Amino acid sequence: MSHPDYRLNLRPLGTPRGVSSVVGSHGIGASPSDKKSKNKSIRGKKKSIFETYMSKEDVSEGLKRGTLIQGVLRINPKKFHEAFIPSPDGDRDIFIDGVVARNRALNGDLVVVKLLPEEQWKVIKPDSNDKETEGAYESDLPEEFCGSHLPQQSLKGYNDSPDVIIEAQFDDSDSEDGHGNTQNIVVDGVKKLSVGVHEKGKEDAGAPVTKDETTSMAQDTRALPEKSLQRSAKVVYIVEKKHSRAATGFLKLLADKNSELFRKYALFSPSDHRVPRIYVPLKDCPQDFVTRPKDYANTLFICRIMDWKEDSNFALGQLAKSLGQAGEIEPETEGILTEYGVDFSDFSSEVLECLPQHLPWTIPPEEFNKRRDLRKDCIFTIDPSTARDLDDALSCKPLADGNFEVGVHIADVSYFVPEGSDLDKVAAERATSVYLVQKVVPMLPRLLCEELCSLNPMTDKLTFSVIWTLTPKGKILDEWFGRTIICSCTKLSYEHAQSMIESPTKKIPKKELPPISPEHTSEEVHRAVLNLHGIAKELRKQRFVDGALRLDQLKLAFTLDHETGLPQGCHIYEYRDSNKLVEEFMLLANMAVAHKIHRAFPERALLRRHPPPQTKMLNDLVEFCDQMGLPMDFSSAGALNKSLTETFGDDKYSLARKEVLTNMCSRPMQMALYFCSGTLRDQAQFRHYALNVPLYTHFTSPIRRFADVLVHRLLAAVLGYREAPDVEPDALQKQADHCNDRRMASKRVQELSTNLFFAVLVKESGPLESEAMVLGVLNQAFDVLVLRYGVQKRIYCNALPLRSQHFQRVGKKPELTLVWEPEDMEQEPVRQVVTIFSLVEVVLRAEDTALKYSAILKRPGTEGLLGLQDKEEGDHDPQED
């Protein structure tokens, strides 16, 4: 499946199903409902619908002169006629109205736009309420923010992978920045969501809530009170087609049976309305499709766009394959992977030939002369119980003076991946492993991921280590970097480590622990875990004193049926001390390596920066908190962290309100990005906002992230193990960009995988009930965070048995009064007031369409309306954590 266009494909969430009329309204094949058709001729002289792209020369000239603007296109998934690119000055997004202005660019493409004359700019309307804005929003925070220890840790496991609806793993899952519609989206969302319709952002009323969508409206709507125009533009050039040009969807016959086209083409209707409808040759279609089209009504196909001419609303494409029935996990998963350009094909024989051929493989004797031999040390791994790709191990040796020798030992992947080899090329192309709920699409062949590189217990392994002398308070007295050989004495799960932390004095029975190698005892491992925990607590405390920020969001983990693979239940993933222990030492190692490679190669270090939140969105959030009377300080990451940890009590209501605010605060956050130090002149831009540190990189997960492999090679060069890198800063930056793009795509895929499993769970085990907290009020709908499952949904008044509803603003706070139709004529109607931070009961139930589910409000005062389907293992109310 390696496809040239495949590489950089990121595309936001939110795939509404159904027929798309995205292709607009004129030209051949326009759908019958397209009233505005200006050009109905079928074959005659076809007028161009789209403008010819500008020449490359004119584009470079225009960009230099400032008459043209470049940016990543984000299309609102719920209102696909709206698209945006970020404004270079950080101001409100630039609006691109309609398919014609978008000029055949797809979501995530890097485009060049030309501003339209001011009289054609978008006018921001006062309150409007549009219906179809459902909260399919995506958010990623930098791992450090969220603390689910390493990305790997959190998502590494299969069925234990914590959900990513709102994903917050340690993985530096960064909050996005509109890059591919992500963050911005959300961002705006915030406003959208949160303040609902407030004066400045009247349009909030109906703005979409998808992160995606939100951006759009949101940004625009609320931004400038004094000015109600939003700069608008049209696409004049596509610099890079980052969208994969692949889509999943359904086949239909063309409407006009008498047309010439009917005999040659079928119509492919993508599930994602941001992609145009596509003519596909009938010869690609199943043989009996023309005679029995209804047999295929529920069959998912993948189609690739091959061409999109200036005179056609519809693109031309090729049917790639039939996936299976819509709504089933495997076909839907394959569709998600293909749309986001994830290469899940088997590794080629050329790639596999790069692996050691004589198995079982053993470490060559000469490596023992080049490395520090740590095989006798007590070293162990701590991971999710289902993890198979063990990147990192820890050790902690007490010293006579009361200090500790602490080691972080990382799989030496670069030893097995020779630079320039076929294996290197495919790993660079994939750039990351992709963790789905039910499986992993690995960056490297399984022989490496799960055997040769993975730090499995009781086998000698090649590693790259950082070893410190630390005081019990975590102060660094000495630091050593180097290649090593280890033999892990045991594979602990987070649960094992947690039980050790929770019983510091009691010996843990052997049957409750994994096998430990005979050279070491369970007491020795227990002591090491306790010492590491003690130091980690100090490191963590100091990080927050020094101004770090953490935004923990609710994440789902699923339990899967071993036979069917279907979700049996889900629970909110708990982030505990054992996760925090691993996280602290991974952060310490990543920071140490960042400083080391930057000192040695100031122009050619691969680092990771996290820009501060978007000012515009942050200002909106500040205003919102003022209106709500919340004492939040947004002046720095540390101040925000302090506000979130100190403003709230620990009763159920306060904890729910903290969840909602954390959710809102994540929206203005930008994505963390890999970059080459030589391409950014201003070192202040190197900073990592969430961690509040000057330099950071990724070193600790080379089995599943290619950036870490590049960092390992740099560190090896610093230490004299290999030649200094012969790479220009621009070339390294290109690799960094590709890693950023693939990381974004993999996050979207993780989110969509979680959404898919949750939708299947609602269908199979629903309806599900939960408490929810309101996070935005519009005039005929409101948005809630469903506390038991961490998902966000919009509830529409017209779906409830109401006698009436009334929207008003009390002071500046939006408020909806619902008057419920009495169930019994003798009763008085019940009035319910919904405002931001109201706690309500909701019911999630499946809809008829495959994998859609909606939320409705439970009538006040009814107990167990539907009886909670409590089939969930380990399910617990997040407020009681």
Side-chain angles (χ1 to χ4, degrees):
M1 291 213 27
S2 52
H3 184 270
D5 260 346
Y6 242 33
R7 297 165 337 197
L8 304 164
N9 160 27
L10 32 133
R11 169 82 74 85
L13 257 200
T15 19
R17 296 207 163 267
V19 184
S20 144
S21 52
V22 75
V23 289
S25 46
H26 9 279
I28 49 172
S31 62
S33 61
D34 288 333
K35 299 271 192 294
K36 291 183 285 211
S37 242
K38 299 194 181 66
N39 164 19
K40 296 231 164 94
S41 68
I42 296 289
R43 259 296 183 242
K45 32 186 194 307
K46 289 193 283 189
K47 285 210 298 259
S48 277
I49 292 164
F50 300 107
E51 283 187 20
T52 306
Y53 296 127
M54 276 186 168
S55 70
K56 220 174 183 158
E57 297 69 40
D58 291 350
V59 167
S60 342
E61 188 53 35
L63 288 171
K64 271 193 210 109
R65 284 210 312 270
T67 54
L68 300 177
I69 298 168
Q70 179 169 312
V72 173
L73 185 75
R74 297 187 326 269
I75 303 171
N76 179 340
K78 294 290 161 76
K79 298 180 171 175
F80 46 78
H81 58 282
E82 297 178 346
F84 303 84
I85 68 162
S87 170
D89 56 11
D91 195 35
R92 191 192 287 161
D93 284 352
I94 294 164
F95 181 59
I96 296 153
D97 188 12
V99 177
V100 172
R102 208 153 67 218
N103 203 356
R104 297 162 287 163
L106 298 186
N107 192 64
D109 285 353
L110 186 59
V111 298
V112 173
V113 304
K114 182 180 181 181
L115 289 179
L116 298 171
E118 198 165 327
E119 60 274 13
Q120 294 176 38
W121 288 5
K122 177 174 182 185
V123 178
I124 303 213
K125 304 185 290 284
D127 292 6
S128 67
N129 177 41
D130 56 52
K131 302 293 321 233
E132 35 39 319
T133 55
E134 172 64 303
Y137 103 77
E138 340 162 296
S139 139
D140 317 299
L141 304 175
E143 70 207 37
E144 308 68 9
F145 251 173
C146 325
S148 312
H149 167 40
L150 321 174
Q152 87 199 57
Q153 313 290 78
S154 25
L155 272 168
K156 196 152 61 171
Y158 301 151
N159 21 7
D160 147 338
S161 48
D163 176 0
V164 276
I165 283 186
I166 297 186
E167 169 215 13
Q169 351 155 55
F170 172 80
D171 195 316
D172 224 274
S173 302
D174 336 292
S175 162
E176 355 353 313
D177 52 332
H179 189 95
N181 95 291
T182 28
Q183 154 250 9
N184 276 352
I185 262 119
V186 118
V187 173
D188 286 314
V190 76
K191 182 47 152 250
K192 194 108 282 109
L193 280 176
S194 53
V195 185
V197 255
H198 99 300
E199 273 61 274
K200 260 170 74 173
K202 297 265 172 89
E203 192 151 0
D204 285 335
V209 182
T210 358
K211 207 172 177 178
D212 246 43
E213 323 158 50
T214 51
T215 70
S216 63
M217 304 299 348
Q219 285 250 358
D220 53 74
T221 61
R222 62 218 175 195
L224 304 170
E226 68 283 0
K227 214 166 151 196
S228 56
L229 287 182
Q230 179 175 19
R231 289 186 297 166
S232 301
K234 61 180 182 181
V235 173
V236 294
Y237 189 72
I238 301 178
V239 182
E240 194 176 354
K241 292 180 172 176
K242 291 198 176 190
H243 186 288
S244 65
R245 291 335 193 238
T248 54
F250 300 91
L251 272 184
K252 300 178 164 49
L253 289 174
L254 292 181
D256 181 0
K257 290 200 164 64
N258 303 316
S259 73
E260 218 176 298
L261 287 169
F262 185 87
R263 291 193 290 280
K264 286 191 195 160
Y265 294 102
L267 188 63
F268 176 81
S269 183
S271 304
D272 181 346
H273 294 201
R274 292 167 298 182
V275 180
R277 284 183 286 177
I278 303 165
Y279 286 131
V280 294
L282 283 174
K283 62 176 170 48
D284 287 358
C285 300
Q287 286 187 328
D288 57 350
F289 170 68
V290 176
T291 51
R292 306 180 61 90
K294 288 204 168 58
D295 291 3
Y296 295 93
N298 198 39
T299 303
L300 266 188
F301 290 91
I302 290 180
C303 181
R304 286 188 190 286
I305 292 178
M306 307 312 286
D307 193 11
W308 191 355
K309 300 198 182 303
E310 288 168 19
D311 60 7
S312 174
N313 278 308
F314 294 2
L316 285 169
Q318 275 182 352
L319 222 48
K321 67 183 293 193
S322 159
L323 292 173
Q325 293 299 293
E328 289 179 7
I329 286 171
E330 286 313 314
E332 295 280 354
T333 297
E334 189 173 332
I336 292 166
L337 292 170
T338 306
E339 287 193 29
Y340 283 81
V342 175
D343 179 359
F344 56 93
S345 60
D346 292 338
F347 289 96
S348 69
S349 54
E350 291 77 13
V351 167
L352 298 175
E353 277 162 22
C354 301
L355 303 176
Q357 300 299 305
H358 302 294
L359 300 176
W361 179 83
T362 51
I363 296 174
E366 64 271 16
E367 284 303 316
F368 291 89
N369 307 327
K370 301 179 191 168
R371 295 170 180 262
R372 188 161 156 183
D373 187 349
L374 305 176
R375 289 175 299 167
K376 291 198 164 53
D377 291 12
C378 175
I379 295 177
F380 47 86
T381 57
I382 305 176
D383 288 280
S385 53
T386 50
R388 299 184 202 170
D389 48 353
L390 315 182
D391 288 282
D392 54 280
L394 292 165
S395 60
C396 182
K397 207 188 291 182
L399 301 173
D401 58 6
N403 295 317
F404 296 93
E405 184 184 273
V406 172
V408 166
H409 313 280
I410 304 299
D412 189 356
V413 175
S414 62
Y415 174 87
F416 293 97
V417 183
E419 201 166 352
S421 64
D422 287 326
L423 176 59
D424 182 45
K425 288 176 191 147
V426 77
E429 191 57 49
R430 292 189 178 204
T432 179
S433 293
V434 178
Y435 292 86
L436 305 167
V437 171
Q438 79 278 34
K439 60 185 172 191
V440 180
V441 179
M443 175 178 86
L444 295 167
R446 292 203 185 273
L447 177 67
L448 291 185
C449 287
E450 297 178 10
E451 296 181 50
L452 303 187
C453 294
S454 184
L455 305 182
N456 301 329
M458 293 174 255
T459 47
D460 294 355
K461 296 289 176 182
L462 298 178
T463 42
F464 217 145
S465 301
V466 187
I467 297 174
W468 301 273
T469 304
L470 297 178
T471 68
K473 291 272 185 201
K475 183 169 185 290
I476 298 175
L477 304 177
D478 190 32
E479 185 169 66
W480 179 86
F481 300 87
R483 286 190 158 154
T484 49
I485 299 180
I486 68 162
C487 181
S488 164
C489 67
T490 188
K491 176 191 172 185
L492 299 178
S493 67
Y494 280 124
E495 291 71 25
H496 294 135
Q498 188 63 30
S499 62
M500 291 178 171
I501 291 167
E502 287 171 8
S503 45
T505 52
K506 195 169 95 239
K507 182 176 166 158
I508 295 180
K510 198 169 174 181
K511 63 175 191 305
E512 291 173 26
L513 288 175
I516 295 175
S517 77
E519 289 78 40
H520 300 280
T521 62
S522 63
E523 289 80 1
E524 191 182 358
V525 175
H526 193 162
R527 236 184 354 263
V529 168
L530 290 172
N531 288 333
L532 286 169
H533 171 62
I535 300 167
K537 274 198 309 195
E538 294 294 336
L539 287 170
R540 188 175 196 80
K541 188 167 83 188
Q542 194 54 48
R543 280 200 307 112
F544 290 113
V545 167
D546 292 343
L549 166 64
R550 170 187 203 79
L551 293 174
D552 275 320
Q553 300 201 63
L554 302 174
K555 293 179 300 171
L556 273 178
F558 294 91
T559 45
L560 303 182
D561 181 297
H562 286 300
E563 310 250 301
T564 62
L566 291 173
Q568 290 175 315
C570 66
H571 56 275
I572 294 288
Y573 182 74
E574 211 181 340
Y575 187 72
R576 301 192 294 179
D577 285 343
S578 53
N579 303 76
K580 292 173 187 173
L581 180 162
V582 179
E583 180 190 353
E584 286 309 314
F585 291 106
M586 298 306 122
L587 289 173
L588 200 63
N590 286 333
M591 291 187 277
V593 171
H595 283 276
K596 188 82 174 167
I597 61 176
H598 183 249
R599 264 197 308 275
F601 303 122
E603 297 289 304
R604 287 174 294 175
L606 182 71
L607 301 174
R608 187 159 179 81
R609 64 194 177 90
H610 183 219
Q614 296 198 330
T615 11
K616 191 145 220 32
M617 300 187 59
L618 198 62
N619 294 341
D620 289 329
L621 190 53
V622 168
E623 189 179 333
F624 165 72
C625 289
D626 289 347
Q627 288 172 14
M628 299 300 293
L630 292 166
M632 301 285 288
D633 179 352
F634 290 95
S635 59
S636 68
L640 175 54
N641 194 74
K642 201 162 179 246
S643 301
L644 282 169
T645 46
E646 295 177 7
T647 305
F648 301 96
D650 53 9
D651 57 290
K652 187 168 82 166
Y653 179 78
S654 300
L655 288 171
R657 201 166 63 157
K658 181 181 175 182
E659 259 348 309
V660 166
L661 258 168
T662 299
N663 182 295
M664 290 174 179
C665 291
S666 71
R667 296 177 193 162
M669 295 305 160
Q670 307 224 49
M671 218 177 64
L673 297 164
Y674 298 115
F675 71 103
C676 169
S677 55
T679 57
L680 269 186
R681 293 274 72 91
D682 176 9
Q683 208 170 318
Q685 294 189 305
F686 290 18
R687 288 196 69 81
H688 196 292
Y689 172 79
L691 290 174
N692 197 26
V693 295
L695 294 175
Y696 189 65
T697 193
H698 272 170
F699 163 76
T700 53
S701 296
I703 293 178
R704 60 190 181 78
R705 290 189 304 228
F706 194 72
D708 302 52
V709 176
L710 294 171
V711 168
H712 277 229
R713 288 174 181 164
L714 284 167
L715 183 60
V718 175
L719 301 172
Y721 293 119
R722 54 176 287 157
E723 293 295 301
D726 176 27
V727 60
E728 287 306 308
D730 286 349
L732 188 55
Q733 182 58 44
K734 235 186 156 67
Q735 286 193 286
D737 290 339
H738 180 62
C739 289
N740 291 330
D741 287 339
R742 293 318 307 159
R743 185 174 182 86
M744 255 308 252
S746 88
K747 283 195 182 325
R748 294 290 141 268
V749 166
Q750 287 169 8
E751 278 168 9
L752 290 168
S753 174
T754 294
N755 292 354
L756 168 64
F757 274 78
F758 189 65
V760 170
L761 183 71
V762 175
K763 187 172 126 202
E764 298 290 324
S765 313
L768 306 177
E769 296 186 15
S770 170
E771 277 191 298
M773 186 167 263
V774 176
L775 37 68
V777 177
L778 311 175
N779 53 9
Q780 297 181 48
F782 53 97
D783 295 307
V784 295
L785 179 63
V786 181
L787 295 164
R788 189 170 188 177
Y789 304 110
V791 298
Q792 202 174 302
K793 291 300 275 181
R794 176 160 291 184
I795 295 179
Y796 295 102
C797 294
N798 67 1
L800 305 173
L802 301 179
R803 181 168 282 187
S804 64
Q805 81 235 20
H806 173 62
F807 176 84
Q808 61 176 1
R809 210 175 241 99
V810 179
K812 289 192 170 177
K813 297 180 193 175
E815 191 176 278
L816 255 181
T817 304
L818 310 179
V819 180
W820 289 78
E821 199 60 73
E823 289 181 285
D824 181 335
M825 292 320 289
E826 332 243 294
Q827 296 171 323
E828 282 296 301
V830 179
R831 293 167 68 81
Q832 183 177 15
V833 177
V834 173
T835 185
I836 294 173
F837 301 132
S838 293
L839 215 45
V840 295
E841 292 274 325
V842 299
V843 178
L844 302 178
R845 58 181 190 194
E847 292 183 5
D848 297 340
T849 333
L851 299 185
K852 270 213 143 157
Y853 65 94
S854 57
I856 57 164
L857 200 56
K858 207 163 133 179
R859 184 187 287 274
T862 50
E863 284 308 311
L865 178 69
L866 294 159
L868 194 51
Q869 308 286 315
D870 227 352
K871 298 182 186 167
E872 298 151 47
E873 297 180 22
D875 190 45
H876 57 277
D877 190 278
Q879 275 85 51
E880 291 161 16
D881 286 354

